[in-house]
DNA sequence: TTAGTGGGCTCGCATTGCTC
DNA sequence: GAGCAATGCGAGCCCACTAA
């Protein structure tokens, strides 16, 4: 994307000299177009959206809600691909079941059997927290960017990739600048796996004995052996190394171009939909899938690593962040062009009612904005009343405080843009 | 009684900004 | 420019509470 040809962020073109203008200029100049880096992610998300269009048009996706589930699955597929950047030779998990396979797991459980017996100790290969934050922001930005392109809503997406700062993402058009906080976390991670032609053996004195299941093993020569992305229920998708930059990376070998990618997306979406239903029902449904999901609890993954925006700490931090940037930048903009939004891959399924519902129609102001008091009545200019957030945008469900934002970013709009008729 | 859940807290890591 | 403190973030541990 050629930055020079882009629209300027809305509030930077105004004639006022607000106190926050120079800081917003700073955000804008530091931000990268969402697709400036990671061109393979850009291309892959583009292919996924082509597939989503096909799935909408042939009836695999029948409404906006189902589209949200396919988008949630797409996010996790993209994150899983970025996680493959960290794959290394040590601490794979060997599973003896036929066919014997080894996995590079992200949870403390076997990606094929689910929960492990308590004796097994396996290293989970989750990247460090700052890396996860970069990955989730990059994936969400790439998906949002494609949403804007397909929906033709006129908005542009920029990423602030520094790990420090109050704002993670900018979304803007000629009228409005949306300052965004991203708090995202996957529901299901697809690990890398290798298939073994025969059960692994190890030296025990002078004889060879089978390697026990769920033991840690090393896998040599990763560049020259077939690697796969593993999906539950014995599905796996071949990966290939790509060397078009500084460091080789893994991408899906889709085989038949977009059609191959669509098959993968259909399989991942189907599995993801069951996990989402399981999570939403608090595992009264699809119980057997629980141990394959992030934040599943027990010894596999801490229950607080909940997907999307469902970690209570994140909701609290996120809402405070909204207040902070709204108080400073939304209030500081004289032309009232700044908005604030909390972004995630998945809405807080479990905690929305208790933690967020009460803010749906809430407004706040400052004491010194009160113009007149008449007994218990006070009058405040509506420009001085602020919502807790203008948009709580997630791929599965969103909440908007303005019709214009809803028109631009709702699942319903995207569903119609992809050819849906409901 | 036990397993699951959520709050409070610390830790490690990365980055930024200040001081010398 | 080096060293250090402050900050932001996610992971993970401990503990109290609760429901089965």
């Amino acid at each position: 994307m050629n930055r020079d040809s882009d629209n300027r962020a809305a509030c930077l073109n105004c004639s006022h000299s607000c106190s926050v203008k120079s800081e917003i200029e700073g955000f804008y100049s530091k931000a990268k177009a969402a697709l400036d880096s990671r061109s393979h992610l850009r291309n892959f998300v583009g292919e996924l959206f082509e597939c989503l269009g096909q799935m909408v048009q042939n009836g695999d996706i029948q409404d906006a809600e189902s589209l949200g589930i396919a988008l949630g699955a797409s996010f996790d597929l993209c994150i899983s691909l970025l996680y493959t950047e960290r794959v290394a030779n040590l601490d794979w998990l060997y599973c003896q079941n036929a066919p014997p396979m080894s996995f590079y797991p992200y949870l403390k459980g076997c990606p094929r059997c689910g929960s492990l017996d308590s004796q097994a100790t396996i290293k989970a290969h989750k990247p460090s927290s700052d890396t996860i934050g970069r990955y989730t922001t990059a994936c969400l930005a790439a998906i949002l960017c494609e949403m804007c392109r397909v929906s033709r809503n006129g908005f542009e997406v920029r990423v602030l990739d520094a790990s420090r700062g109050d704002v993670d993402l900018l979304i803007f058009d000629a009228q409005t600048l949306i300052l965004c906080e991203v708090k995202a976390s996957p529901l299901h991670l697809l690990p890398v796996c290798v298939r073994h032609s025969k059960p692994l053996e190890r030296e025990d004195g002078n004889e060879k004995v089978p390697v026990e299941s769920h033991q840690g093993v090393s896998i040599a020569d990763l560049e020259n052996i077939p690697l796969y992305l593993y999906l539950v229920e014995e599905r796996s998708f071949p990966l290939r190394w790509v060397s078009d930059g500084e460091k080789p990376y893994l991408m899906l070998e889709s085989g038949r171009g977009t059609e191959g990618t669509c098959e993968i997306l259909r399989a991942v979406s189907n599995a993801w939909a069951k996990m989402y239903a399981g999570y939403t029902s608090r595992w009264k449904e699809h119980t057997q899938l629980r141990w394959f999901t992030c934040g599943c609890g027990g010894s596999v993954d801490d229950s607080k690593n909940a997907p999307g925006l469902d970690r209570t700490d994140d909701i609290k931090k996120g809402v405070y962040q909204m207040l902070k940037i709204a108080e400073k930048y939304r209030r500081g903009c004289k032309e009232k062009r700044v908005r604030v939004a909390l972004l995630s891959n998945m809405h807080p399924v479990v905690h929305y009612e208790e933690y967020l519902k009460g803010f749906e129609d809430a407004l706040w102001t400052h004491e010194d904005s009160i113009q007149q008091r008449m007994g218990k009545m006070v009058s405040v200019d509506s420009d001085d009343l602020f919502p807790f957030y203008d948009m709580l945008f997630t791929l599965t469900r969103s909440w908007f405080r303005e019709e214009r934002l809803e028109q631009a970013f709702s699942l319903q709009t995207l569903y119609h843009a992809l050819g849906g008729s409901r």
Side-chain angles (χ1 to χ4, degrees):
Chain A
M1 189 176 289
N2 181 354
R3 182 178 294 188
D4 295 335
S5 68
D6 295 340
N7 297 321
R8 291 254 298 169
C11 70
L12 301 179
N13 291 327
C14 83
S15 54
H16 295 101
S17 54
C18 307
S19 59
V20 295
K21 195 167 182 179
S22 64
E23 282 188 63
I24 291 176
E25 276 273 14
F27 290 147
Y28 186 73
S29 62
K30 282 181 195 163
K32 287 191 215 160
L35 307 177
D36 267 4
S37 58
R38 299 187 190 280
S39 60
H40 56 294
L41 178 64
R42 168 190 61 193
N43 296 335
F44 185 62
V45 171
E47 276 186 39
L48 291 177
F49 267 71
E50 266 190 55
C51 298
L52 290 172
Q54 288 182 24
M55 290 163 78
V56 166
Q57 287 157 37
N58 68 20
D60 287 344
I61 293 173
Q62 298 195 339
D63 51 31
E65 196 181 337
S66 309
L67 175 61
I69 287 171
L71 283 169
S74 301
F75 176 89
D76 282 4
L77 182 55
C78 291
I79 286 285
S80 301
L81 279 172
L82 292 184
Y83 270 37
T84 67
E85 289 178 2
R86 324 287 295 182
V87 72
N89 304 101
L90 301 179
D91 295 316
W92 288 61
L93 175 73
Y94 173 63
C95 180
Q96 209 177 35
N97 293 351
M101 295 170 105
S102 293
F103 302 90
Y104 198 68
Y106 303 118
L107 308 179
K108 291 177 187 167
C110 175
R112 180 198 249 171
C113 308
S115 189
L116 292 178
D117 54 78
S118 56
Q119 269 75 40
T121 53
I122 194 65
K123 186 173 165 52
H125 297 287
K126 274 193 191 174
S128 61
S129 56
D130 60 313
T131 306
I132 294 174
R134 274 202 303 277
Y135 286 168
T136 54
T137 302
C139 288
L140 208 50
I143 290 173
L144 262 167
C145 207
E146 200 61 17
M147 263 185 93
C148 293
R149 187 187 67 78
V150 170
S151 303
R152 296 182 183 171
N153 61 19
F155 279 91
E156 198 173 311
V157 180
R158 294 266 170 100
V159 181
L160 283 139
D161 62 356
S163 66
R164 187 189 162 92
D166 285 338
V167 178
D168 296 323
L169 213 84
L170 305 179
I171 306 175
F172 60 89
D173 70 355
Q175 279 177 265
T176 307
L177 169 68
I178 311 170
L179 305 177
C180 306
E181 165 79 6
V182 176
K183 292 241 172 284
S185 189
L187 172 65
H188 175 61
L189 290 160
L190 290 80
V192 179
C193 73
V194 295
R195 296 172 180 168
H196 302 294
S197 54
K198 56 182 183 179
L200 294 185
E201 294 179 324
R202 63 181 171 85
E203 302 279 345
D204 184 16
N206 291 329
E207 57 179 336
K208 287 196 167 181
V209 296
V211 173
E212 290 167 20
S213 217
H214 302 150
Q215 296 300 304
V217 295
S218 297
I219 304 294
D221 204 19
L222 290 175
E223 291 76 16
N224 296 305
I225 57 172
L227 297 174
Y228 301 84
L229 210 54
Y230 184 82
L231 180 65
V232 290
E233 294 164 352
E234 300 297 335
R235 298 293 304 269
S236 56
F237 311 113
L239 292 163
R240 66 187 160 91
W241 288 100
V242 180
S243 307
D244 60 4
E246 286 175 15
K247 194 182 165 195
Y249 57 88
L250 284 162
M251 280 304 290
L252 283 164
E253 181 70 80
S254 55
R256 287 169 289 133
T258 307
E259 187 45 44
T261 304
C262 293
E263 269 179 38
I264 293 168
L265 180 59
R266 267 191 286 272
V268 174
S269 289
N270 288 340
W272 201 90
K274 289 182 203 164
M275 291 180 197
Y276 178 74
Y279 178 74
T280 304
S281 71
R282 309 301 300 263
W283 299 108
K284 290 184 177 68
E285 296 173 28
H286 304 292
T287 315
Q288 77 283 5
L289 292 174
R290 175 177 182 161
W291 305 110
F292 303 109
T293 60
C294 301
C296 58
S299 58
V300 177
D301 196 36
D302 195 300
S303 61
K304 279 208 308 244
N305 299 338
L309 192 58
D310 232 345
R311 182 173 175 163
T312 52
D313 281 17
D314 283 348
I315 295 176
K316 293 175 198 169
K317 284 181 186 173
V319 171
Y320 175 73
Q321 200 65 10
M322 291 294 95
L323 288 173
K324 184 167 184 272
I325 61 178
E327 199 281 328
K328 186 169 186 181
Y329 303 108
R330 197 185 194 286
R331 187 167 178 249
C333 173
K334 288 181 181 162
E335 289 200 352
K336 306 296 172 194
R337 289 168 177 269
V338 173
R339 300 289 181 271
V340 297
L342 191 52
L343 269 47
S344 186
N345 55 317
M346 211 173 112
H347 71 282
V349 173
V350 175
H351 295 106
Y352 184 81
E353 283 288 316
E354 187 178 350
Y355 284 82
L356 287 164
K357 189 166 176 55
F359 298 114
E360 270 183 7
D361 61 350
L363 295 165
W364 63 268
T365 191
H366 284 254
E367 186 96 17
D368 63 10
S369 297
I370 295 174
Q371 294 174 335
Q372 205 178 358
R373 292 176 189 271
M374 291 166 290
K376 288 185 177 177
M377 303 284 283
V378 295
S379 63
V380 178
D381 187 323
S382 61
D383 277 350
D384 291 325
L385 289 171
F386 306 99
F388 278 61
Y389 40 81
D390 293 284
M391 177 166 81
L392 171 52
F393 172 89
T394 78
L395 301 175
T396 51
R397 189 177 169 190
S398 300
W399 287 262
F400 303 93
R401 296 297 297 265
E402 267 182 31
E403 204 179 325
R404 203 171 94 79
L405 295 181
E406 182 163 15
Q407 188 59 41
F409 295 104
S410 73
L411 282 171
Q412 197 67 40
T413 298
L414 180 63
Y415 177 69
H416 287 141
L418 288 168
S421 54
R422 283 198 183 182

